[in-house]
Amino acid sequence: MKDLVIVGAGGFGRETALMVSQMQEWNLIGFYDDGLEPGTIMEGKPVVGKVSSLNENQSEVAVVIAIADPSTRQRIAESLTNKKLSFPTVAHPTALMGHSSNSVGKGCIITAGVILTTAITIGDFVILNLATTVGHDTHIGDFTSIMPQCSISGKVKLGTKCFLGSGTRILQGLTLGDNSIVGAGAVVTKSFAANSKLVGVPAEKK
């Protein structure tokens, strides 16, 4: 089994550690987190060090960045330049990855109960959280975070660094521009430009 570490020991990082243990194909070494002292034990695994210390790592290791905030996740990914590091996509055994026409980038986290259908394109470092469904011909941009139980219909286009709160619904054929944020439980019934902050049913700009 290949060694793997998780960046981020918060709630989502600990959930990701549980997922990795259920996959039974990785040797989870521990966490890297700037907010905790090295040696702190989380979910039975140690905090190994600060995130920047991964750039000094001398052995090959897989890295999963389990940080929900898109901009923070991007900043961390761009800061890790050590050639010994790799960024695999990890998917829970119960995730349905769909048709072979689907394309999934590096560094993604696809959790339990996620359902992908067909002709879907997912960028790098995307999070698809619990029981989310993604319809046909949808495009999800790099560093986007989709929280639990979202429903994304077919032919939807999400830009880079979008954030969809739990229970978001996006109807067929719509587009959300880069850096858009959708509040929990919102139903998106029309397209919005970049940097939109949306709430409500139907969703409107905040």
Side-chain angles (χ1 to χ4, degrees), residues 14 20 48-49 74 151 186:
R14 291 184 286 117
V20 168
V48 181
Q74 181 184 38
S151 175

Side-chain angles (χ1 to χ4, degrees), residues 4-17 19-20 31-33 51 63-69 72-73 76 80 87 90 107-109 111 125-127 145 147:
L4 181 144
V5 299
I6 295 172
V7 172
F12 185 60
R14 291 184 286 117
E15 289 179 342
T16 301
M19 184 183 84
V20 168
F31 300 90
Y32 284 77
D33 193 298
V51 176
V63 179
V64 175
I65 305 175
I67 304 290
D69 178 71
T72 303
R73 194 160 69 256
I76 292 171
L80 295 176
F87 300 92
V90 293
C108 298
I109 303 174
T111 65
F125 297 99
V126 169
I127 292 173
S145 294
M147 295 297 101

Side-chain angles (χ1 to χ4, degrees), residues 84-195:
K84 296 288 187 179
L85 308 180
S86 61
F87 300 92
T89 282
V90 293
H92 192 273
T94 64
L96 301 181
M97 299 300 289
H99 193 265
S100 60
S101 59
N102 292 341
S103 172
V104 181
K106 68 179 180 180
C108 298
I109 303 174
I110 301 175
T111 65
V114 168
I115 300 174
L116 307 179
T117 59
T118 187
I120 294 165
T121 301
I122 297 173
D124 296 337
F125 297 99
V126 169
I127 292 173
L128 296 176
N129 216 330
L130 302 166
T132 283
T133 61
V134 183
H136 64 88
D137 301 288
T138 285
H139 175 90
I140 301 174
D142 297 346
F143 298 102
T144 285
S145 294
I146 300 174
M147 295 297 101
Q149 297 185 326
C150 290
S151 175
I152 301 170
S153 299
K155 295 186 177 180
V156 168
K157 184 174 181 180
L158 301 180
T160 61
K161 294 190 289 183
C162 291
F163 186 97
L164 274 55
S166 298
T168 293
R169 303 288 185 262
I170 302 182
L171 301 190
Q172 179 99 355
L174 301 181
T175 296
L176 292 181
D178 298 347
N179 304 300
S180 291
I181 299 172
V182 184
V187 178
V188 181
T189 61
K190 60 184 178 181
S191 296
F192 288 89
N195 303 304

